[in-house]
PDB file of all heavy atoms in Angstrom:
ATOM      1  N   PRO A1360     -75.283 140.468 198.568  1.00  0.00           N
ATOM      2  CA  PRO A1360     -75.924 139.194 198.934  1.00  0.00           C
ATOM      3  C   PRO A1360     -75.194 138.476 200.068  1.00  0.00           C
ATOM      4  O   PRO A1360     -75.835 137.848 200.921  1.00  0.00           O
ATOM      5  CB  PRO A1360     -75.860 138.390 197.629  1.00  0.00           C
ATOM      6  CG  PRO A1360     -75.767 139.401 196.557  1.00  0.00           C
ATOM      7  CD  PRO A1360     -74.992 140.541 197.130  1.00  0.00           C
ATOM      8  N   TYR A1361     -73.857 138.570 200.074  1.00  0.00           N
ATOM      9  CA  TYR A1361     -73.093 137.975 201.165  1.00  0.00           C
ATOM     10  C   TYR A1361     -73.460 138.624 202.493  1.00  0.00           C
ATOM     11  O   TYR A1361     -73.617 137.947 203.524  1.00  0.00           O
ATOM     12  CB  TYR A1361     -71.597 138.143 200.891  1.00  0.00           C
ATOM     13  CG  TYR A1361     -70.713 137.589 201.981  1.00  0.00           C
ATOM     14  CD1 TYR A1361     -70.328 136.246 201.970  1.00  0.00           C
ATOM     15  CD2 TYR A1361     -70.269 138.395 203.028  1.00  0.00           C
ATOM     16  CE1 TYR A1361     -69.508 135.737 202.977  1.00  0.00           C
ATOM     17  CE2 TYR A1361     -69.468 137.898 204.035  1.00  0.00           C
ATOM     18  CZ  TYR A1361     -69.091 136.572 204.003  1.00  0.00           C
ATOM     19  OH  TYR A1361     -68.288 136.066 205.012  1.00  0.00           O
ATOM     20  N   PHE A1362     -73.606 139.938 202.484  1.00  0.00           N
ATOM     21  CA  PHE A1362     -74.000 140.677 203.680  1.00  0.00           C
ATOM     22  C   PHE A1362     -75.363 140.212 204.188  1.00  0.00           C
ATOM     23  O   PHE A1362     -75.556 139.985 205.379  1.00  0.00           O
ATOM     24  CB  PHE A1362     -74.018 142.176 203.342  1.00  0.00           C
ATOM     25  CG  PHE A1362     -74.693 143.035 204.366  1.00  0.00           C
ATOM     26  CD1 PHE A1362     -74.079 143.342 205.571  1.00  0.00           C
ATOM     27  CD2 PHE A1362     -75.968 143.554 204.130  1.00  0.00           C
ATOM     28  CE1 PHE A1362     -74.705 144.151 206.515  1.00  0.00           C
ATOM     29  CE2 PHE A1362     -76.597 144.352 205.061  1.00  0.00           C
ATOM     30  CZ  PHE A1362     -75.964 144.647 206.262  1.00  0.00           C
ATOM     31  N   VAL A1363     -76.320 140.060 203.265  1.00  0.00           N
ATOM     32  CA  VAL A1363     -77.660 139.618 203.665  1.00  0.00           C
ATOM     33  C   VAL A1363     -77.611 138.212 204.250  1.00  0.00           C
ATOM     34  O   VAL A1363     -78.247 137.918 205.273  1.00  0.00           O
ATOM     35  CB  VAL A1363     -78.626 139.660 202.461  1.00  0.00           C
ATOM     36  CG1 VAL A1363     -79.974 139.047 202.819  1.00  0.00           C
ATOM     37  CG2 VAL A1363     -78.821 141.090 201.977  1.00  0.00           C
ATOM     38  N   ALA A1364     -76.842 137.327 203.592  1.00  0.00           N
ATOM     39  CA  ALA A1364     -76.724 135.959 204.100  1.00  0.00           C
ATOM     40  C   ALA A1364     -76.062 135.936 205.468  1.00  0.00           C
ATOM     41  O   ALA A1364     -76.441 135.143 206.340  1.00  0.00           O
ATOM     42  CB  ALA A1364     -75.912 135.115 203.106  1.00  0.00           C
ATOM     43  N   ASP A1365     -75.116 136.825 205.663  1.00  0.00           N
ATOM     44  CA  ASP A1365     -74.379 136.875 206.922  1.00  0.00           C
ATOM     45  C   ASP A1365     -75.271 137.334 208.070  1.00  0.00           C
ATOM     46  O   ASP A1365     -75.382 136.657 209.115  1.00  0.00           O
ATOM     47  CB  ASP A1365     -73.173 137.800 206.761  1.00  0.00           C
ATOM     48  CG  ASP A1365     -72.185 137.670 207.900  1.00  0.00           C
ATOM     49  OD1 ASP A1365     -72.355 136.763 208.743  1.00  0.00           O
ATOM     50  OD2 ASP A1365     -71.230 138.470 207.956  1.00  0.00           O
ATOM     51  N   ILE A1366     -75.926 138.475 207.912  1.00  0.00           N
ATOM     52  CA  ILE A1366     -76.754 138.986 209.008  1.00  0.00           C
ATOM     53  C   ILE A1366     -78.054 138.202 209.126  1.00  0.00           C
ATOM     54  O   ILE A1366     -78.720 138.239 210.171  1.00  0.00           O
ATOM     55  CB  ILE A1366     -77.051 140.488 208.853  1.00  0.00           C
ATOM     56  CG1 ILE A1366     -77.963 140.757 207.649  1.00  0.00           C
ATOM     57  CG2 ILE A1366     -75.761 141.285 208.728  1.00  0.00           C
ATOM     58  CD1 ILE A1366     -78.422 142.213 207.555  1.00  0.00           C
ATOM     59  N   GLY A1367     -78.428 137.476 208.050  1.00  0.00           N
ATOM     60  CA  GLY A1367     -79.657 136.681 208.094  1.00  0.00           C
ATOM     61  C   GLY A1367     -79.582 135.559 209.108  1.00  0.00           C
ATOM     62  O   GLY A1367     -80.619 135.038 209.545  1.00  0.00           O
ATOM     63  N   LYS A1368     -78.385 135.171 209.503  1.00  0.00           N
ATOM     64  CA  LYS A1368     -78.231 134.111 210.500  1.00  0.00           C
ATOM     65  C   LYS A1368     -78.786 134.523 211.857  1.00  0.00           C
ATOM     66  O   LYS A1368     -79.267 133.676 212.621  1.00  0.00           O
ATOM     67  CB  LYS A1368     -76.746 133.765 210.651  1.00  0.00           C
ATOM     68  CG  LYS A1368     -76.091 133.250 209.383  1.00  0.00           C
ATOM     69  CD  LYS A1368     -74.593 133.078 209.579  1.00  0.00           C
ATOM     70  CE  LYS A1368     -73.901 132.682 208.298  1.00  0.00           C
ATOM     71  NZ  LYS A1368     -72.428 132.588 208.444  1.00  0.00           N
ATOM     72  N   SER A1369     -78.731 135.827 212.130  1.00  0.00           N
ATOM     73  CA  SER A1369     -79.182 136.308 213.436  1.00  0.00           C
ATOM     74  C   SER A1369     -80.524 137.037 213.385  1.00  0.00           C
ATOM     75  O   SER A1369     -81.021 137.478 214.420  1.00  0.00           O
ATOM     76  CB  SER A1369     -78.127 137.250 214.029  1.00  0.00           C
ATOM     77  OG  SER A1369     -77.871 138.341 213.163  1.00  0.00           O
ATOM     78  N   VAL A1370     -81.078 137.186 212.187  1.00  0.00           N
ATOM     79  CA  VAL A1370     -82.365 137.872 212.040  1.00  0.00           C
ATOM     80  C   VAL A1370     -83.338 136.943 211.317  1.00  0.00           C
ATOM     81  O   VAL A1370     -83.320 136.853 210.089  1.00  0.00           O
ATOM     82  CB  VAL A1370     -82.222 139.190 211.257  1.00  0.00           C
ATOM     83  CG1 VAL A1370     -83.567 139.910 211.173  1.00  0.00           C
ATOM     84  CG2 VAL A1370     -81.169 140.085 211.883  1.00  0.00           C
ATOM     85  N   PRO A1371     -84.190 136.208 212.018  1.00  0.00           N
ATOM     86  CA  PRO A1371     -85.128 135.268 211.379  1.00  0.00           C
ATOM     87  C   PRO A1371     -86.035 136.001 210.381  1.00  0.00           C
ATOM     88  O   PRO A1371     -86.572 137.069 210.674  1.00  0.00           O
ATOM     89  CB  PRO A1371     -85.933 134.723 212.566  1.00  0.00           C
ATOM     90  CG  PRO A1371     -85.043 134.920 213.749  1.00  0.00           C
ATOM     91  CD  PRO A1371     -84.284 136.176 213.485  1.00  0.00           C
ATOM     92  N   GLY A1372     -86.199 135.404 209.222  1.00  0.00           N
ATOM     93  CA  GLY A1372     -87.081 135.950 208.210  1.00  0.00           C
ATOM     94  C   GLY A1372     -86.422 136.935 207.259  1.00  0.00           C
ATOM     95  O   GLY A1372     -86.983 137.261 206.209  1.00  0.00           O
ATOM     96  N   LEU A1373     -85.219 137.419 207.609  1.00  0.00           N
ATOM     97  CA  LEU A1373     -84.554 138.405 206.755  1.00  0.00           C
ATOM     98  C   LEU A1373     -84.196 137.816 205.398  1.00  0.00           C
ATOM     99  O   LEU A1373     -84.431 138.433 204.354  1.00  0.00           O
ATOM    100  CB  LEU A1373     -83.291 138.929 207.444  1.00  0.00           C
ATOM    101  CG  LEU A1373     -82.494 139.968 206.656  1.00  0.00           C
ATOM    102  CD1 LEU A1373     -83.296 141.247 206.484  1.00  0.00           C
ATOM    103  CD2 LEU A1373     -81.173 140.284 207.360  1.00  0.00           C
ATOM    104  N   SER A1374     -83.644 136.609 205.401  1.00  0.00           N
ATOM    105  CA  SER A1374     -83.253 135.968 204.143  1.00  0.00           C
ATOM    106  C   SER A1374     -84.466 135.735 203.253  1.00  0.00           C
ATOM    107  O   SER A1374     -84.414 135.958 202.032  1.00  0.00           O
ATOM    108  CB  SER A1374     -82.546 134.638 204.428  1.00  0.00           C
ATOM    109  OG  SER A1374     -81.359 134.839 205.157  1.00  0.00           O
ATOM    110  N   GLY A1375     -85.565 135.291 203.856  1.00  0.00           N
ATOM    111  CA  GLY A1375     -86.772 135.026 203.076  1.00  0.00           C
ATOM    112  C   GLY A1375     -87.334 136.292 202.444  1.00  0.00           C
ATOM    113  O   GLY A1375     -87.723 136.296 201.282  1.00  0.00           O
ATOM    114  N   LEU A1376     -87.350 137.387 203.200  1.00  0.00           N
ATOM    115  CA  LEU A1376     -87.870 138.643 202.664  1.00  0.00           C
ATOM    116  C   LEU A1376     -86.966 139.181 201.570  1.00  0.00           C
ATOM    117  O   LEU A1376     -87.430 139.693 200.549  1.00  0.00           O
ATOM    118  CB  LEU A1376     -88.017 139.675 203.788  1.00  0.00           C
ATOM    119  CG  LEU A1376     -88.657 141.012 203.367  1.00  0.00           C
ATOM    120  CD1 LEU A1376     -90.054 140.788 202.816  1.00  0.00           C
ATOM    121  CD2 LEU A1376     -88.698 141.973 204.553  1.00  0.00           C
ATOM    122  N   PHE A1377     -85.656 139.057 201.764  1.00  0.00           N
ATOM    123  CA  PHE A1377     -84.722 139.523 200.726  1.00  0.00           C
ATOM    124  C   PHE A1377     -84.898 138.719 199.443  1.00  0.00           C
ATOM    125  O   PHE A1377     -84.927 139.279 198.344  1.00  0.00           O
ATOM    126  CB  PHE A1377     -83.286 139.390 201.223  1.00  0.00           C
ATOM    127  CG  PHE A1377     -82.254 139.666 200.164  1.00  0.00           C
ATOM    128  CD1 PHE A1377     -82.021 140.975 199.741  1.00  0.00           C
ATOM    129  CD2 PHE A1377     -81.532 138.642 199.576  1.00  0.00           C
ATOM    130  CE1 PHE A1377     -81.071 141.245 198.763  1.00  0.00           C
ATOM    131  CE2 PHE A1377     -80.591 138.899 198.595  1.00  0.00           C
ATOM    132  CZ  PHE A1377     -80.353 140.197 198.183  1.00  0.00           C
ATOM    133  N   VAL A1378     -85.017 137.407 199.592  1.00  0.00           N
ATOM    134  CA  VAL A1378     -85.233 136.553 198.425  1.00  0.00           C
ATOM    135  C   VAL A1378     -86.524 136.935 197.721  1.00  0.00           C
ATOM    136  O   VAL A1378     -86.587 137.020 196.488  1.00  0.00           O
ATOM    137  CB  VAL A1378     -85.244 135.063 198.826  1.00  0.00           C
ATOM    138  CG1 VAL A1378     -85.771 134.198 197.688  1.00  0.00           C
ATOM    139  CG2 VAL A1378     -83.855 134.614 199.219  1.00  0.00           C
ATOM    140  N   ALA A1379     -87.582 137.177 198.500  1.00  0.00           N
ATOM    141  CA  ALA A1379     -88.856 137.578 197.916  1.00  0.00           C
ATOM    142  C   ALA A1379     -88.713 138.895 197.160  1.00  0.00           C
ATOM    143  O   ALA A1379     -89.204 139.043 196.035  1.00  0.00           O
ATOM    144  CB  ALA A1379     -89.924 137.701 199.005  1.00  0.00           C
ATOM    145  N   GLY A1380     -88.025 139.864 197.777  1.00  0.00           N
ATOM    146  CA  GLY A1380     -87.834 141.149 197.133  1.00  0.00           C
ATOM    147  C   GLY A1380     -87.026 141.046 195.862  1.00  0.00           C
ATOM    148  O   GLY A1380     -87.345 141.671 194.837  1.00  0.00           O
ATOM    149  N   LEU A1381     -85.971 140.248 195.895  1.00  0.00           N
ATOM    150  CA  LEU A1381     -85.121 140.094 194.710  1.00  0.00           C
ATOM    151  C   LEU A1381     -85.862 139.366 193.602  1.00  0.00           C
ATOM    152  O   LEU A1381     -85.747 139.710 192.421  1.00  0.00           O
ATOM    153  CB  LEU A1381     -83.842 139.339 195.087  1.00  0.00           C
ATOM    154  CG  LEU A1381     -82.673 139.481 194.116  1.00  0.00           C
ATOM    155  CD1 LEU A1381     -82.266 140.934 193.976  1.00  0.00           C
ATOM    156  CD2 LEU A1381     -81.495 138.651 194.594  1.00  0.00           C
ATOM    157  N   CYS A1382     -86.631 138.339 193.988  1.00  0.00           N
ATOM    158  CA  CYS A1382     -87.411 137.606 192.978  1.00  0.00           C
ATOM    159  C   CYS A1382     -88.450 138.526 192.329  1.00  0.00           C
ATOM    160  O   CYS A1382     -88.638 138.485 191.102  1.00  0.00           O
ATOM    161  CB  CYS A1382     -88.112 136.412 193.622  1.00  0.00           C
ATOM    162  SG  CYS A1382     -87.089 134.956 193.779  1.00  0.00           S
ATOM    163  N   THR A1383     -89.121 139.336 193.126  1.00  0.00           N
ATOM    164  CA  THR A1383     -90.132 140.213 192.561  1.00  0.00           C
ATOM    165  C   THR A1383     -89.502 141.266 191.646  1.00  0.00           C
ATOM    166  O   THR A1383     -90.063 141.608 190.604  1.00  0.00           O
ATOM    167  CB  THR A1383     -90.929 140.928 193.660  1.00  0.00           C
ATOM    168  OG1 THR A1383     -90.029 141.612 194.538  1.00  0.00           O
ATOM    169  CG2 THR A1383     -91.749 139.940 194.472  1.00  0.00           C
ATOM    170  N   ALA A1384     -88.326 141.779 192.032  1.00  0.00           N
ATOM    171  CA  ALA A1384     -87.638 142.735 191.166  1.00  0.00           C
ATOM    172  C   ALA A1384     -87.272 142.091 189.837  1.00  0.00           C
ATOM    173  O   ALA A1384     -87.392 142.703 188.767  1.00  0.00           O
ATOM    174  CB  ALA A1384     -86.385 143.267 191.866  1.00  0.00           C
ATOM    175  N   THR A1385     -86.827 140.839 189.901  1.00  0.00           N
ATOM    176  CA  THR A1385     -86.455 140.120 188.680  1.00  0.00           C
ATOM    177  C   THR A1385     -87.670 139.874 187.804  1.00  0.00           C
ATOM    178  O   THR A1385     -87.646 140.109 186.589  1.00  0.00           O
ATOM    179  CB  THR A1385     -85.799 138.769 189.035  1.00  0.00           C
ATOM    180  OG1 THR A1385     -84.730 138.987 189.946  1.00  0.00           O
ATOM    181  CG2 THR A1385     -85.274 138.081 187.790  1.00  0.00           C
TER     182      THR A1385
END
């Protein structure tokens, strides 16, 4: 998750898609 948060700063939409994927898995 730290990695996603880190690279998400430079990739718009990455954090949102990851959150969506993690929420759906849960």
Side-chain angles (χ1 to χ4, degrees):
Y1361 179 87
F1362 167 76
V1363 173
D1365 193 7
I1366 68 173
K1368 299 173 185 177
S1369 58
V1370 182
L1373 180 65
S1374 298
L1376 184 60
F1377 172 74
V1378 167
L1381 199 59
C1382 277
T1383 55
T1385 307

